[in-house]
Amino acid sequence: MNTRTPTLHSMLTLFVLTLTVLWPWLNHANTAAPTTVDLQPLPASLQFRQAIRSPAAQYSQALLSEAYRRLGIETRFVDVPFGRSLVESNKGTLDGEIARVLRVTSQYPNLLAVPYVLFDTQVYLYINSGRCRNCTLAQVPSITYVRGSIIVEELLKKLPASKPVISSGTIESAKALFLSGKVDAVIFAAYRLQDNASFTIDEQHIMSLPDYHLLHRQHQQVVSPLATMLFQLEQEGFSARLRQQYGVAAPRRQLQQGESPFAQY
């Protein structure tokens, strides 16, 4: 009986041939399958609350409208009270919020932040210095604000329960209360008072926080392509031109693509 022991060379040759045949299958098996989110088509249209009458909000609406347009998504803006829109967005009645600080997502968990800083929300306190000279927020006798601003409401919760705090539905109504002398102070987020008054106004800067566009989680497949488009508009100079048009400063720090949103500086 004549037998031949396989040589090392022949065994290596057989191994290489086997690997060549199996490699395409192995490579395919190790490739991650597309996630359910990746496979979902982009929506044809999205609906948001109409931006309030502040330069930062108007800028954000214009920027997002262009980004969505380039993605082939129609945007509609409807009138919803500022203090009600977060509830409606969290329910899915609205598809998200034009611009909000990140901390609102802890109270409204169905909202996802698009990782791109739109602008910095500046919180300003305005005091009738004729009535309360060199006063702090804690010392003003009475104050008004626009309801629906989470950061402002958190600040006001720290005040004594006995202090008169009047909520207003709009920036205009809050301004009217202050400028007419019916309250001693007004606090705004993402809005700077430019109006003249019959009394001296003391302006105080309270804080600065980054703002993000928020989407309901049912549209989570939009988050990544929208962020990519916003960074593209930034690189093209479109965002800078729009900021100049609306008089909005660039954020103190912008995210890097792929970086997670941060809540504060």
Side-chain angles (χ1 to χ4, degrees), residues 204-225:
Q204 298 179 20
H205 182 260
I206 304 297
M207 65 169 60
S208 176
L209 296 172
D211 262 55
Y212 300 91
H213 180 47
L214 305 182
L215 283 168
H216 190 277
R217 63 176 60 257
Q218 67 184 330
H219 301 303
Q220 58 185 313
Q221 78 276 20
V222 180
V223 171
S224 181

Side-chain angles (χ1 to χ4, degrees), residues 53-56 122 124-127 171-172 174-176 178-179 186-188 190-204 246-249:
R53 294 179 60 183
S54 74
Q122 311 292 343
Y124 288 100
L125 172 66
Y126 296 94
I127 302 172
I171 290 175
E172 287 71 23
K175 284 199 303 183
F178 176 62
L179 295 174
V186 62
I187 186 168
F188 289 121
Y191 181 79
R192 196 165 192 177
L193 186 65
Q194 304 287 345
D195 300 64
N196 294 320
S198 59
F199 49 84
T200 303
I201 297 176
D202 176 26
E203 178 188 85
Q204 298 179 20
Y246 285 94
V248 176

Side-chain angles (χ1 to χ4, degrees), residues 135-150:
C135 287
T136 64
L137 176 60
Q139 295 169 328
V140 293
S142 62
I143 189 168
T144 186
Y145 72 101
V146 181
R147 59 180 169 269
S149 174
I150 298 296

Side-chain angles (χ1 to χ4, degrees), residues 60-241:
S60 298
Q61 180 167 312
L63 177 63
L64 290 165
S65 296
E66 176 63 14
Y68 278 121
R69 184 190 69 79
R70 295 197 188 188
L71 290 174
I73 300 174
E74 178 189 1
T75 47
R76 297 193 300 268
F77 301 95
V78 296
D79 289 326
V80 177
F82 186 62
R84 182 69 187 170
S85 66
L86 275 170
V87 175
E88 298 303 324
S89 293
N90 194 59
K91 286 165 51 180
T93 308
L94 294 174
D95 294 310
E97 293 288 298
I98 293 176
R100 291 280 188 169
V101 295
L102 188 61
R103 66 179 63 177
V104 306
T105 58
S106 62
Q107 298 180 41
Y108 300 91
N110 286 330
L111 299 179
L112 304 174
V114 176
Y116 173 89
V117 181
L118 291 169
F119 62 91
D120 291 337
T121 282
Q122 311 292 343
V123 179
Y124 288 100
L125 172 66
Y126 296 94
I127 302 172
N128 183 335
S129 60
R131 294 182 181 176
C132 197
R133 184 175 298 276
N134 300 323
C135 287
T136 64
L137 176 60
Q139 295 169 328
V140 293
S142 62
I143 189 168
T144 186
Y145 72 101
V146 181
R147 59 180 169 269
S149 174
I150 298 296
I151 34 176
V152 168
E153 289 173 353
E154 288 180 350
L155 289 169
L156 295 177
K157 284 178 183 177
K158 299 175 183 178
L159 299 179
S162 59
K163 186 181 295 293
V165 177
I166 302 173
S167 68
S168 301
T170 64
I171 290 175
E172 287 71 23
S173 59
K175 284 199 303 183
L177 284 172
F178 176 62
L179 295 174
S180 64
K182 294 179 180 178
V183 292
D184 303 300
V186 62
I187 186 168
F188 289 121
Y191 181 79
R192 196 165 192 177
L193 186 65
Q194 304 287 345
D195 300 64
N196 294 320
S198 59
F199 49 84
T200 303
I201 297 176
D202 176 26
E203 178 188 85
Q204 298 179 20
H205 182 260
I206 304 297
M207 65 169 60
S208 176
L209 296 172
D211 262 55
Y212 300 91
H213 180 47
L214 305 182
L215 283 168
H216 190 277
R217 63 176 60 257
Q218 67 184 330
H219 301 303
Q220 58 185 313
Q221 78 276 20
V222 180
V223 171
S224 181
L226 179 60
T228 299
M229 181 57 68
L230 288 168
F231 279 107
Q232 179 179 321
L233 292 173
E234 189 75 51
Q235 292 168 0
E236 291 177 5
F238 180 89
S239 305
R241 292 192 295 273

Side-chain angles (χ1 to χ4, degrees), residues 115 227 231 255-261:
F231 279 107
L255 294 169
Q256 298 295 319
Q257 283 191 265
E259 184 182 358
S260 297

Side-chain angles (χ1 to χ4, degrees), residues 2-49:
N2 186 21
T3 60
R4 296 181 59 187
T5 303
T7 65
L8 179 60
H9 179 269
S10 62
M11 291 175 67
L12 287 173
T13 301
L14 179 62
F15 173 76
V16 171
L17 289 173
T18 303
L19 187 61
T20 302
V21 172
L22 294 178
W23 178 252
W25 181 86
L26 291 171
N27 189 48
H28 175 75
N30 288 329
T31 302
T35 64
T36 303
V37 173
D38 294 332
L39 295 174
Q40 291 178 351
L42 297 180
S45 64
L46 292 172
Q47 181 171 272
F48 305 101
R49 171 185 52 81

